Amino acid sequence: MELKDLHYLLAVKEIGHLGKAAQSLGITQPALTKCLQRLEKFYATRLILKVGRGMQLTEAGLLLCERAQKVVHMMQVTRQDLQALGAGTAGVIRLGVAATAAEFMLPVLSKDLLHKAPTARLEVTVGMNDLLQKLLRENKVDLILGFLPQGNSEFITRPLIEDPVVIAASRHHPLANIHPTPEQLDEYNWLLPSDNVATRQWLEQRLRSGGYAAPRAQMESNTLSPLRAVLAQTQLLSFLSRRLLKGEGGELIEIPLPLVMMPRTFGWQFRSLSELSPASRLLVDLAEKRWPW
């Protein structure tokens, strides 16, 4: 049995006449008859009976038509789904994203993706870069949208936007608008990520190289973005994306200390472009069109 045999049987049922059904299918009536005989042999039962000059489906024929409609429909849906997967307009994307990128890049990127691929699914993991790289290494995410490590990387990188990191504090902080001396900066405690995070290590190294003491962390968190209100209500200092300061209603300000203004680039990290699904490649392309480097 071939799938086209079921198409032909459904045409016979719909039209109710062998000659006219053959004409609508673009085949000869003997070819259509042979197709029906093949189906009857395959299922070992009569499917069609002649009634005068016409024909009618047997009970078995009606049952097969009912099942055939489901099979044909499923094959059509499968074909459409596979075409969509191949075009990148469907599928699952396992995305690791830094907190800053989740707040300022992911919303507009999701809008672009769902416009182009309305049936695509995103599985998003928000975290620090070290965690996301571990997940990428273990093949638990497909790609990372976050800040790009300096120097050689074990992953392929694609830059998108600049995102410097600066010392941040409440606008009411005693150091507001002051270029602090080492003594002044050392009076205050910090809200920082754990000491194994590259951003904090960079901050500590730069402060020491400029004659400042290492920052004393009074609060630590695996992500700083949701804790900006803590800075606004305390005299803690932190080390945040400059973009995050703009989004806090003027409650946070940058402490001007060029020594520790960390240049940082946000972009993509992935193992190999050839390993990415069509949907993931579509997401990469959409981001690069929105933020051309």
Side-chain angles (χ1 to χ4, degrees):
M1 188 193 72
E2 299 180 14
L3 186 61
K4 69 177 181 180
D5 294 342
L6 297 180
H7 283 282
Y8 291 172
L9 177 64
L10 290 174
V12 170
K13 175 179 181 293
E14 180 180 353
I15 296 172
H17 189 280
L18 285 177
K20 292 180 181 179
Q23 186 177 5
S24 71
L25 292 169
I27 61 175
T28 64
Q29 184 170 332
L32 179 57
T33 300
K34 187 176 180 180
C35 158
L36 297 175
Q37 290 172 345
R38 185 163 55 241
L39 283 174
E40 290 182 332
K41 181 178 180 181
F42 183 84
Y43 288 108
T45 187
R46 294 296 301 272
L47 300 175
I48 294 178
L49 296 175
K50 290 184 179 180
V51 180
R53 295 184 178 181
M55 46 75 59
Q56 71 178 26
L57 292 172
T58 65
E59 185 176 357
L62 291 172
L63 176 61
L64 181 57
C65 282
E66 179 184 341
R67 302 289 172 83
Q69 285 176 330
K70 296 178 180 178
V71 172
V72 170
H73 173 71
M74 182 56 66
M75 292 304 297
Q76 290 173 339
V77 170
T78 300
R79 180 182 179 185
Q80 293 169 355
D81 288 346
L82 292 175
Q83 288 175 337
L85 284 169
T89 56
V92 178
I93 304 170
R94 302 176 301 167
L95 177 64
V97 59
T100 304
E103 186 164 350
F104 291 98
M105 301 177 75
L106 188 58
V108 66
L109 188 56
S110 298
K111 178 183 177 182
D112 291 346
L113 174 69
L114 296 179
H115 175 72
K116 284 281 189 178
T119 61
R121 291 181 55 238
L122 275 169
E123 295 180 356
V124 178
T125 301
V126 179
M128 304 292 283
N129 212 41
D130 56 340
L131 168 64
L132 298 179
Q133 287 186 326
K134 179 177 182 291
L135 295 177
L136 183 58
R137 201 174 292 117
E138 296 172 352
N139 195 30
K140 293 179 180 178
V141 297
D142 301 313
L143 65 169
I144 298 171
L145 180 62
F147 77 86
L148 303 181
Q150 295 182 338
N152 294 330
S153 171
E154 62 183 300
F155 305 116
I156 294 173
T157 59
R158 296 276 189 89
L160 294 172
I161 61 173
E162 293 292 345
D163 182 63
V165 185
V166 298
I167 298 179
S170 165
R171 65 185 178 92
H172 303 294
H173 198 282
L175 295 182
N177 303 316
I178 294 176
H179 185 296
T181 65
E183 294 75 21
Q184 288 173 319
L185 194 66
D186 194 41
E187 292 180 23
Y188 299 97
N189 294 331
W190 293 70
L191 164 60
L192 292 172
S194 63
D195 56 12
N196 64 344
V197 174
T199 305
R200 176 169 171 178
Q201 293 172 357
W202 187 95
L203 171 66
E204 292 178 349
Q205 187 275 327
R206 291 291 289 180
L207 285 173
R208 288 195 183 100
S209 70
Y212 289 79
R216 294 187 306 276
Q218 190 166 14
M219 288 186 66
E220 291 187 353
S221 174
N222 63 336
T223 180
L224 300 182
S225 177
L227 301 181
R228 285 174 287 171
V230 173
L231 289 182
Q233 298 295 324
T234 67
Q235 290 190 354
L236 293 175
L237 301 171
S238 193
F239 199 48
L240 295 176
S241 161
R242 187 177 280 161
R243 292 175 185 272
L244 291 176
L245 307 188
K246 297 176 182 178
E248 199 58 29
E251 290 299 312
L252 298 182
I253 51 109
E254 175 182 346
I255 301 298
L257 189 59
L259 171 71
V260 291
M261 193 282 289
M262 177 182 176
R264 187 171 70 168
T265 302
F266 264 81
W268 292 115
Q269 296 179 69
F270 48 85
R271 291 180 302 276
S272 167
L273 189 63
S274 62
E275 291 182 19
L276 293 180
S277 68
S280 296
R281 290 199 295 270
L282 174 62
L283 188 66
V284 171
D285 292 341
L286 290 172
E288 293 181 346
K289 288 177 182 177
R290 181 165 285 278
W291 299 289
W293 184 254

